[in-house]
Amino acid sequence: MKKRAMTLVLMLALTAGVASALDVGGTSVPDKAEVAGQSLLLNGAGVRKKVVFDVYVASLYTGAKVGDAATILGATTPRRMELRMLREVSAGTMHESFVDGLQDNISAGDMKRFAPQLDALDKVFREVKTVGKGDVIQLDLLPGQGTRVTVRGKAYPVIAGDDFASALLSIWLGKSPVQAGLKAQLLGAR
């Protein structure tokens, strides 16, 4: 019995430092992320579908698991939305889908107010040109700074504004999310 207990303790010790991952749509999603020196937990993840096509696996990382979209949108802590591409999409199409998602969730006045941020986001996507299967887009929401966009491991200049960062998250978590089932999954529903 003691030998079995020691074996179990040894196995637990060996696997304690190993990060686990969740399989979502055949894609491995890490259960933790490091943003602004803070360890974040996978809040939820799911596949974004458009018509019959799987477009990307979206993963939301927060400081603590939260099932309420308003709480996440209003948080003053780092958050990350990560998109793992399942197909090739042009930069223009990606930018257009972000703009459409914003228009569905914020006022026309806010869209005008965010014109400089949308231009900065468009500049990132124009430089990227296209995202292919397996590419990763990270949107790090950094309180007091704004949004850092990273594509294929290359970080771009921070796009200013906490309010814009929250507006971006509304694409997936707002009143009219890009996909209701995906919103539920990002909020922890399985």
Side-chain angles (χ1 to χ4, degrees):
M1 184 70 168
K2 279 187 175 184
K3 190 174 184 177
R4 188 179 296 170
M6 286 300 287
T7 302
L8 180 60
V9 168
L10 183 58
M11 286 175 52
L12 289 173
L14 290 173
T15 60
V18 177
S20 61
L22 177 68
D23 182 278
V24 179
T27 300
S28 182
V29 175
D31 65 351
K32 293 181 182 171
E34 215 35 61
V35 176
Q38 194 169 37
S39 184
L40 303 182
L41 303 172
L42 178 64
N43 200 75
V47 176
R48 165 68 171 121
K49 295 180 181 287
K50 182 137 184 171
V51 189
V52 296
F53 300 106
D54 292 348
V55 182
Y56 55 75
V57 171
S59 308
L60 174 64
Y61 294 89
T62 56
K65 293 202 177 214
V66 179
D68 178 63
T71 300
I72 295 170
L73 291 171
T76 56
T77 56
R79 294 152 289 160
R80 171 180 282 173
M81 177 61 72
E82 186 170 273
L83 310 177
R84 292 179 177 270
M85 301 306 296
L86 299 174
R87 63 182 312 103
E88 184 173 307
V89 178
S90 74
T93 300
M94 282 301 289
H95 185 259
E96 184 179 306
S97 70
F98 277 41
V99 170
D100 289 346
L102 283 168
Q103 287 175 331
D104 290 344
N105 287 285
I106 65 173
S107 70
D110 281 341
M111 285 298 291
K112 285 182 184 177
R113 186 168 58 92
F114 291 142
Q117 288 93 337
L118 290 169
D119 286 344
L121 187 62
D122 183 45
K123 183 178 178 183
V124 168
F125 283 125
R126 278 186 279 125
E127 185 176 320
V128 169
K129 295 189 185 352
T130 188
V131 286
K133 184 176 181 176
D135 286 348
V136 178
I137 300 170
Q138 295 170 329
L139 305 171
D140 289 341
L141 298 98
L142 309 169
Q145 296 176 44
T147 306
R148 180 180 53 227
V149 179
T150 303
V151 182
R152 293 187 291 264
K154 180 181 178 183
Y156 290 86
V158 172
I159 300 172
D162 289 345
D163 50 353
F164 181 70
S166 290
L168 273 178
L169 270 184
S170 76
I171 294 169
W172 299 276
L173 300 178
K175 62 183 178 345
S176 298
V178 68
Q179 188 175 313
L182 178 57
K183 175 181 177 177
Q185 290 174 318
L186 292 170
L187 294 174
R190 290 305 293 147

